[in-house]
């Protein structure tokens, strides 16, 4: 059953049953600074805690950021059984800016999570509901953010076992959002790491007719199938079918923004991807690594970009 909750009530979130294939930042922090802080009960102290943790995990210099003090808007959560995902239960959440809610026909941007993460991270550790509230407070046209489960390492495309999170988005999730009053004719797309790749892939499929803007953080991009991480693709043919480099011409007419830290291992791939786009997209190639610190630093500009093009 769908429930309406306040931003504070959604923290801490449940985590997925399957653990990431490697030790995550979340797991390490649980041992280092205590579970109470890791579970975003610590959002108020987030900048201090996470800056310290990112510095310990990633010696490269990290950007600074501040989680906005402005009060976040409301959040609606729910779940459904997805036929496109082979009967898996998909949890979701929609964040509205302050003063807006389910009675408002707002445009919407989908937020696709990274590997080993889930729907909860968008409005938990990433605090995107607060960044959204701050952006709208400062004059960005209002829009909603929608996050959903996409699988531990699905990379947001159809897999050999039949799991198809991209079809879930198009044929199940977007129609559900539309039935709840959100405008889904031309959506926005965002995401980090695996989700950044997935957002670009979906933007290429939708093209300018269905996607107004895509703004990604640290997208997991490999220029050759042999370079990909284990589990990201079923085989070389799967990589070729879902090659975002080959699909770049389909982004014509879609507003694109790519943000990535210059110490991020995906930085060379992101630079190569951007270099092949015409016209050149908006970018933030600046200090940072593949870290939460960079993604929080990036959030204000990414949300302003999405709101401007959705509005």
């Amino acid at each position: 059953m769908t429930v309406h909750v306040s931003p504070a009530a959604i923290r801490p979130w449940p985590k997925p049953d399957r653990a990431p294939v490697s030790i995550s930042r979340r797991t390490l922090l649980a041992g280092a600074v205590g579970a109470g802080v890791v579970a975003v009960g610590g959002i108020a102290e987030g900048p201090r805690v996470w800056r310290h943790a990112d510095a310990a995990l990633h010696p490269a210099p990290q950007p600074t950021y501040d989680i906005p003090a402005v009060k976040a808007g409301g959040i609606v959560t729910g779940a459904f059984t997805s036929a496109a995902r082979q009967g898996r239960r998909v949890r979701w959440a929609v964040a509205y800016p302050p003063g807006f809610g389910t009675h408002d026909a707002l445009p919407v941007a989908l937020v696709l999570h990274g590997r080993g993460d889930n729907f909860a991270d968008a409005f938990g550790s990433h605090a995107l509901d607060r960044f959204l509230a701050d952006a709208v407070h400062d004059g960005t046209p209002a829009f909603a953010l929608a996050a959903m489960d996409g699988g531990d390492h699905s990379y947001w495309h159809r897999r050999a076992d039949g799991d198809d999170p991209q079809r879930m988005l198009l044929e199940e999730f977007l129609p559900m959002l539309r039935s709840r009053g959100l405008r889904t004719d031309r959506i926005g797309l965002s995401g980090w790491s695996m989700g950044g790749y997935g957002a670009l892939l979906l933007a290429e499929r939708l093209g300018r007719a269905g996607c107004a803007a895509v703004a990604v953080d640290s997208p997991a991009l490999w220029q050759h199938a042999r370079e990909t991480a284990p589990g990201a693709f079923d085989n070389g043919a799967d990589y070729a079918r879902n090659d975002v480099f080959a699909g770049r011409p389909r982004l014509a007419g879609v507003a694109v923004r790519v943000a990535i830290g210059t110490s991020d291992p995906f930085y060379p791939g992101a630079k190569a991807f951007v270099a092949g786009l015409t016209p050149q997209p908006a970018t933030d190639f600046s200090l940072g690594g593949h870290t939460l610190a960079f993604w929080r630093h990036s959030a204000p500009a990414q949300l302003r970009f999405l709101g401007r093009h959705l509005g």
Side-chain angles (χ1 to χ4, degrees):
M1 182 177 72
T2 300
V3 295
H4 298 258
V5 296
S6 68
I10 66 168
R11 302 180 173 91
W13 295 83
K15 303 313 296 177
D17 295 331
R18 291 190 299 159
V21 294
S22 60
I23 297 176
S24 69
R25 183 183 305 108
R26 182 182 306 106
T27 303
L28 184 54
L29 284 175
V33 299
V37 174
V38 176
V40 194
I43 255 301
E45 290 190 300
R48 178 179 61 80
V49 172
W50 282 100
R51 281 176 187 159
H52 174 77
D54 275 341
L57 286 164
H58 305 276
Q62 299 299 317
T64 59
Y65 59 84
D66 291 298
I67 295 177
V70 65
K71 183 179 179 181
I75 289 178
V76 179
T77 66
F80 62 90
T81 300
S82 171
R85 300 207 60 223
Q86 303 291 285
R88 291 172 171 86
R89 194 71 170 160
V90 173
R91 298 164 300 169
W92 56 267
V94 178
Y96 293 84
F100 295 86
T102 56
H103 57 283
D104 295 298
L106 293 176
V108 63
L110 306 187
V111 182
L112 279 53
H113 64 73
R115 183 169 185 159
D117 297 327
N118 63 38
F119 86 112
D121 294 277
F123 309 130
S125 59
H126 288 241
L128 291 178
D129 54 329
R130 300 199 182 193
F131 286 109
L132 173 65
D134 192 55
V136 172
H137 178 268
D138 286 345
T140 297
F143 67 102
L145 287 173
M148 72 307 295
D149 287 331
D152 178 84
H153 58 284
S154 70
Y155 282 78
W156 298 96
H157 67 276
R158 180 176 174 83
R159 307 309 302 267
D161 66 358
D163 183 18
D164 193 343
Q166 188 181 90
R167 185 164 74 88
M168 176 271 292
L169 293 174
L170 294 175
E171 298 182 10
E172 297 172 333
F173 192 58
L174 283 176
M176 186 204 71
L177 294 179
R178 183 163 56 250
S179 73
R180 301 186 63 86
L182 291 168
R183 288 163 37 201
T184 61
D185 49 339
R186 292 188 77 223
I187 63 170
L189 288 164
S190 187
W192 65 91
S193 195
M194 177 183 85
Y197 160 80
L200 292 171
L201 183 68
L202 182 54
E204 290 178 352
R205 178 170 177 176
L206 291 173
R208 66 186 302 173
C211 180
V214 56
V216 297
D217 287 317
S218 310
L221 299 179
W222 299 275
Q223 298 182 68
H224 305 284
R226 63 180 180 272
E227 300 169 347
T228 61
F233 298 90
D234 298 316
N235 47 43
D238 184 42
Y239 173 88
R241 283 191 299 270
N242 298 282
D243 182 359
V244 292
F245 287 86
R248 282 176 294 193
R250 295 193 290 271
L251 290 174
V254 177
V256 179
R257 190 175 193 275
V258 178
I260 191 166
T262 52
S263 297
D264 193 305
F266 291 115
Y267 178 60
K271 280 189 66 179
F273 181 82
V274 164
L277 286 174
T278 303
Q280 285 290 284
T283 58
D284 173 9
F285 295 161
S286 59
L287 179 79
H290 202 77
T291 64
L292 183 65
F294 184 85
W295 301 329
R296 284 180 167 179
H297 143 82
S298 174
Q302 297 285 61
L303 293 178
R304 289 195 301 269
F305 180 86
L306 288 170
R308 185 166 66 252
H309 290 282
L310 285 170

